Amino acid sequence: MQYDLIIIGGGAAGFFTAINVAENNPNLKIAILERGKEVLSKVRVSGGGRCNVTHAEFIPNELSKNYPRGEKELKGPFHTFMTGDTMEWFGERGVELKIEEDGRVFPVSDSSKTIIDCFLSETKRLGIKVLINHSVKDFKIEKGSWKVNTNQGDFVTKKLMVTTGSNPKIWKLLQNLGHHTIDPVPSLFTFNSKDSRIKDLPGVVTNATVKVKNSKLASEGPLLITHWGMSGPAILKLSAWGAIELNALQYDFEIIINWLQQYSQQEILEELKELKNNNSKQQVFTYTQFELPKRLWQSLVMASGIKKDTRWADINKFQLHKLSEELTQGVFRIKGKSTFKEEFVTAGGVHLKEINFKTFESKKHKNLYFAGEVLNIDAITGGFNFQNAWTGGFIAAQAITNNK
């Protein structure tokens, strides 16, 4: 079957591209090939089922800083299409969006179904074919066109776009065409730890600075203690920026946590000495200090060798030093990782040097385009991965339309 554009991958970037191409040129025959029985499955589970559409950062250079891989390459594209454009695009199609306190952008409905329904209604309105259960076996150039072989027959198209994310089978086909791919490793994951200091603290959240021992990797922000270890923005940022390094360590490493963020151990030691002098009759365990969550404070006090009934007056120098260390330099063993909610993001993909970021077209093959996580681009949590998909999809659509 003959098409003007075939998109391999029924995800966010693919639908976004198809809709924008069809609106620019309604006469083009466009098909989306999805290997499974359901499209937009990643959109459905994103943001806990609410779909974190984008993030309210409206300065291109600042937005690009949220991408451990792709920061440099996305600066230009973000000047063409970014957050405000995304919000306007959905707004024009009847999807109301809201900005939450932390900058994340969601549909007002708080349901990913709103985004999915928007895409499906637009593809129907524009006559875009959405072909499910079409697993791609091969694609290659024949007589100036792309021939796509699937389990349900062959297709021919002038222009081909790949938006499959981290699909090893598709990556292998791209390698056969001369493209280089970076092996995928998990990004955006939580840390597993059986440390006794946090064993009974699931649900506790506080701001902290986290560093990977013997590494330059560090991040800060809210840290959430879970039943299996640690999560929250501080951990997820660290997992994204350290995706390759932590994979090399086989997710067996140590982190140093400063539960008081901006304070050094020496500064806290001086504060503790003052507490000893000014609150001599007060029990250390009972009264929380430094605005820490009570359960966390009590756990760190116990870890410092201070008993529940110990008064400040009775603490010795060693215990003071140990408590200051637990508060600002606590070392925790991490062994293993867990997927963040139901979302699975990977670092890796098509080498960025092989992409023209003014068009998102392959530098190796004319009329071959990419968008989304099939490229070696990934971001921290908060809507940034979707913004990469929207930006790539929009720019590719412009290029496909203009490249007759």
Side-chain angles (χ1 to χ4, degrees):
M1 192 168 291
Q2 181 86 38
Y3 283 92
D4 297 299
L5 169 65
I6 286 178
I7 298 173
I8 302 174
F15 271 80
F16 200 77
T17 305
I19 292 166
N20 280 288
V21 171
E23 288 202 322
N24 291 335
N25 193 333
N27 296 321
L28 292 182
K29 285 184 66 179
I30 303 170
I32 297 173
L33 304 182
E34 165 57 44
R35 63 176 173 169
K37 62 181 181 179
E38 192 177 89
V39 294
L40 299 163
S41 55
K42 199 163 186 178
V43 174
R44 189 176 302 281
V45 300
S46 73
R50 297 198 294 147
C51 189
N52 188 179
V53 175
T54 185
H55 198 95
E57 171 55 71
F58 299 96
I59 301 171
N61 286 359
E62 292 300 313
L63 180 62
S64 68
K65 289 178 181 178
N66 294 284
Y67 296 81
R69 284 147 292 275
E71 176 182 355
K72 180 181 71 173
E73 289 81 5
L74 287 175
K75 284 181 181 178
F78 282 155
H79 278 85
T80 299
F81 190 93
M82 58 171 296
T83 309
D85 304 298
T86 296
M87 297 181 73
E88 183 180 355
W89 191 94
F90 281 103
E92 287 173 349
R93 288 156 183 81
V95 177
E96 290 185 76
L97 300 176
K98 60 178 178 177
I99 301 173
E100 298 198 339
E101 283 187 19
D102 59 3
R104 292 182 300 164
V105 178
F106 291 93
V108 170
S109 66
D110 278 329
S111 173
S112 57
K113 187 175 183 296
T114 303
I115 304 300
I116 294 171
D117 288 347
C118 171
F119 283 150
L120 293 179
S121 64
E122 287 293 280
T123 52
K124 185 177 181 180
R125 177 178 71 86
L126 294 164
I128 298 165
K129 295 289 184 182
V130 180
L131 305 175
I132 60 172
N133 296 316
H134 276 64
S135 179
V136 173
K137 296 180 177 180
D138 193 17
F139 49 87
K140 56 189 175 183
I141 301 170
E142 282 190 3
K143 299 178 182 178
S145 294
W146 288 95
K147 184 179 180 181
V148 182
N149 173 241
T150 78
N151 63 331
Q152 302 214 35
D154 294 343
F155 298 83
V156 177
T157 181
K158 183 179 179 183
K159 298 180 176 68
L160 181 66
M161 185 162 189
V162 181
T163 62
T164 50
S166 54
N167 182 327
K169 182 179 175 183
I170 298 299
W171 288 15
K172 180 64 177 174
L173 295 177
L174 290 170
Q175 290 167 10
N176 293 341
L177 290 170
H179 270 290
H180 294 87
T181 59
I182 312 298
D183 289 341
V185 298
S187 180
L188 284 189
F189 50 85
T190 61
F191 293 177
N192 295 353
S193 176
K194 294 182 178 180
D195 194 286
S196 60
R197 288 167 290 180
I198 61 171
K199 182 182 176 183
D200 299 320
L201 304 182
V204 168
V205 61
T206 189
N207 286 318
T209 298
V210 187
K211 298 178 180 178
V212 175
K213 196 173 180 181
N214 301 321
S215 167
K216 293 181 180 180
L217 291 171
S219 72
E220 61 182 21
L223 186 155
L224 169 67
I225 297 172
T226 67
H227 288 286
W228 59 87
M230 301 178 193
S231 184
I235 298 300
L236 294 170
K237 279 191 283 186
L238 201 59
S239 75
W241 288 97
I244 295 170
E245 190 171 329
L246 299 182
N247 176 263
L249 294 172
Q250 296 184 312
Y251 310 104
D252 186 348
F253 55 93
E254 290 181 321
I255 58 173
I256 302 169
I257 299 180
N258 185 341
W259 300 103
L260 301 176
Q261 267 192 317
Q262 68 269 43
Y263 295 104
S264 68
Q265 183 179 355
Q266 187 58 42
E267 288 172 326
I268 292 304
L269 184 57
E270 295 302 319
E271 290 274 350
L272 293 175
K273 287 177 181 177
E274 283 192 33
L275 285 167
K276 177 179 170 66
N277 293 331
N278 299 332
N279 301 280
S280 57
K281 295 181 180 180
Q282 207 175 75
Q283 288 184 339
V284 181
F285 181 86
T286 306
Y287 296 96
T288 304
Q289 304 297 330
F290 309 113
E291 299 183 354
L292 283 174
K294 187 173 184 177
R295 287 193 291 154
L296 176 60
W297 166 259
Q298 292 178 341
S299 177
L300 298 178
V301 167
M302 296 290 284
S304 303
I306 302 168
K307 295 181 180 178
K308 288 185 178 181
D309 58 355
T310 303
R311 300 180 306 167
W312 280 104
D314 301 323
I315 290 187
N316 59 41
K317 286 184 179 179
F318 174 81
Q319 289 171 321
L320 279 178
H321 188 274
K322 180 62 175 170
L323 182 54
S324 70
E325 186 179 81
E326 287 290 348
L327 288 165
T328 62
Q329 297 288 320
V331 178
F332 292 78
R333 189 85 199 176
I334 304 301
K335 294 201 75 168
K337 59 173 177 55
S338 296
T339 302
F340 176 55
K341 296 182 180 177
E342 294 180 30
E343 300 171 47
F344 187 69
V345 177
T346 59
V350 177
H351 203 296
L352 302 186
K353 289 183 179 179
E354 299 174 358
I355 305 299
N356 177 353
F357 279 92
K358 292 181 179 179
T359 59
F360 281 75
E361 186 177 14
S362 165
K363 289 181 179 179
K364 291 181 173 287
H365 296 283
K366 188 172 175 58
N367 293 324
L368 175 61
Y369 298 83
F370 301 95
E373 290 180 43
V374 69
L375 298 171
N376 185 28
I377 295 175
D378 62 286
I380 64 174
T381 184
F384 300 104
N385 282 300
F386 271 138
Q387 185 55 56
N388 168 46
W390 313 141
T391 296
F394 180 85
I395 292 175
Q398 299 298 107
I400 289 167
T401 301
N402 296 328
N403 182 18
K404 303 294 186 183

